[in-house]
């Protein structure tokens, strides 16, 4: 990127150049004014660096981070159902959820119980979607999915990563979230310190059309 040079007015200091997103991170389209970046050293990395960015005129301000987070135990890259790999790309952040009460986010937030599911049944038309049904009554293979309310502290707070959702392609991968790091190896989610997840949820604003970019630095 060519450096932006700002000349000082006579008798006054130079204006600060607008901040830039990390190298290689594409700028979101107009209307998306919040971006979370998760950048790993390479495809085999199991940790990454997370930052949150707010559009500020022609540039971007870092509002959180850099923070070290955990990603899939099989690294970061192209993924599919059954692989513990975090997908690369830029995705919307459509909704949030958690076992605990809304911590103050403006996003759609669902407090989940053992009747709330994310479907990983590749034979179900509900693949890679949220569903609500009592255990033992669901119209999909409950063993091929996650009961969000019984997963544990990891899902105390979470944001949905909109990978393979518009529309879902069976077998391409499901149930990718940015959630609390509770010390459990990542199956492909972005595991983030609890305080940072709460801060992110409070910062996210649906009117800003937030997105997440996962890649390499």
């Amino acid at each position: 990127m060519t450096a932006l040079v700002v000349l000082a007015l006579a008798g006054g200091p130079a204006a600060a150049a607008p901040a830039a997103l990390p190298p290689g991170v594409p700028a979101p389209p107009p209307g998306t004014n919040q971006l979370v970046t998760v950048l790993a050293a390479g495809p085999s990395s199991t940790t990454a660096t997370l930052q949150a960015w707010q559009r500020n005129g022609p540039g971007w301000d870092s509002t959180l981070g850099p923070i070290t987070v955990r990603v899939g135990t099989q690294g970061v890259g192209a993924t599919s159902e059954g692989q513990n790999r975090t997908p690369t790309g830029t995705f919307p952040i459509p909704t949030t959820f958690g076992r605990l009460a809304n911590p103050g986010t403006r996003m759609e937030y669902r407090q989940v119980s053992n009747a709330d599911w994310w479907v990983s049944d590749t034979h179900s038309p509900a693949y890679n979607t949220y569903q609500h049904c009592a255990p033992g009554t669901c119209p999909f293979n409950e063993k091929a999915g996650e009961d969000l309310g019984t997963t544990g502290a990891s899902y105390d707070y979470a944001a949905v990563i909109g990978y393979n959702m518009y529309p879902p392609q069976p077998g391409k991968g499901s149930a990718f979230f940015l959630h609390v790091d509770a010390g459990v190896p990542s199956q492909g989610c972005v595991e983030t310190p609890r305080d940072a997840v709460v801060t992110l949820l409070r910062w996210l604003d649906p009117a800003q059309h937030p997105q997440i970019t996962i890649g390499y630095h």
Side-chain angles (χ1 to χ4, degrees):
M1 177 180 292
T2 303
L4 176 64
V5 179
V6 181
L7 297 178
L9 297 174
L21 295 173
V25 174
T32 292
N33 297 320
Q34 291 182 329
L35 181 68
V36 178
T37 56
V38 179
L39 304 178
S44 62
S45 297
T46 57
T47 62
T49 301
L50 179 147
Q51 282 186 271
W53 304 86
Q54 182 76 46
R55 194 189 294 269
N56 181 7
W60 294 82
D61 292 332
S62 177
T63 61
L64 178 68
I67 296 169
T68 299
V69 296
R70 292 198 292 168
V71 290
T73 57
Q74 292 181 289
V76 179
T79 192
S80 61
E81 197 65 46
Q83 291 186 314
N84 295 344
R85 184 173 295 127
T86 304
T88 50
T90 297
F91 314 106
I93 302 175
T95 59
T96 61
F97 68 90
R99 300 193 313 157
L100 304 182
N102 186 340
T105 186
R106 288 165 286 182
M107 301 288 288
E108 177 186 353
Y109 185 88
R110 180 179 290 111
Q111 187 171 3
V112 295
S113 69
N114 68 347
D116 295 291
W117 302 78
W118 205 273
V119 182
S120 295
D121 178 2
T122 58
H123 301 291
S124 171
Y127 178 71
N128 201 25
T129 66
Y130 161 82
Q131 298 292 318
H132 180 82
C133 49
T137 70
C138 299
F140 52 84
N141 181 358
E142 295 177 9
K143 294 181 179 179
E146 290 192 83
D147 187 332
L148 302 178
T150 64
T151 300
S154 295
Y155 289 171
D156 282 353
Y157 303 109
V160 174
I161 297 172
Y163 166 81
N164 190 33
M165 291 182 67
Y166 306 104
Q169 298 180 37
K172 194 175 179 181
S174 61
F176 291 96
F177 312 123
L178 186 158
H179 64 67
V180 172
D181 186 346
V184 180
S186 171
Q187 296 181 353
C189 291
V190 178
E191 299 192 349
T192 304
R194 176 180 294 267
D195 289 350
V197 178
V198 172
T199 298
L200 276 172
L201 292 184
R202 290 173 176 168
W203 169 74
L204 289 171
D205 180 355
Q208 305 295 313
H209 304 289
Q211 295 185 346
I212 182 169
T213 293
I214 304 170
Y216 312 117
H217 57 71

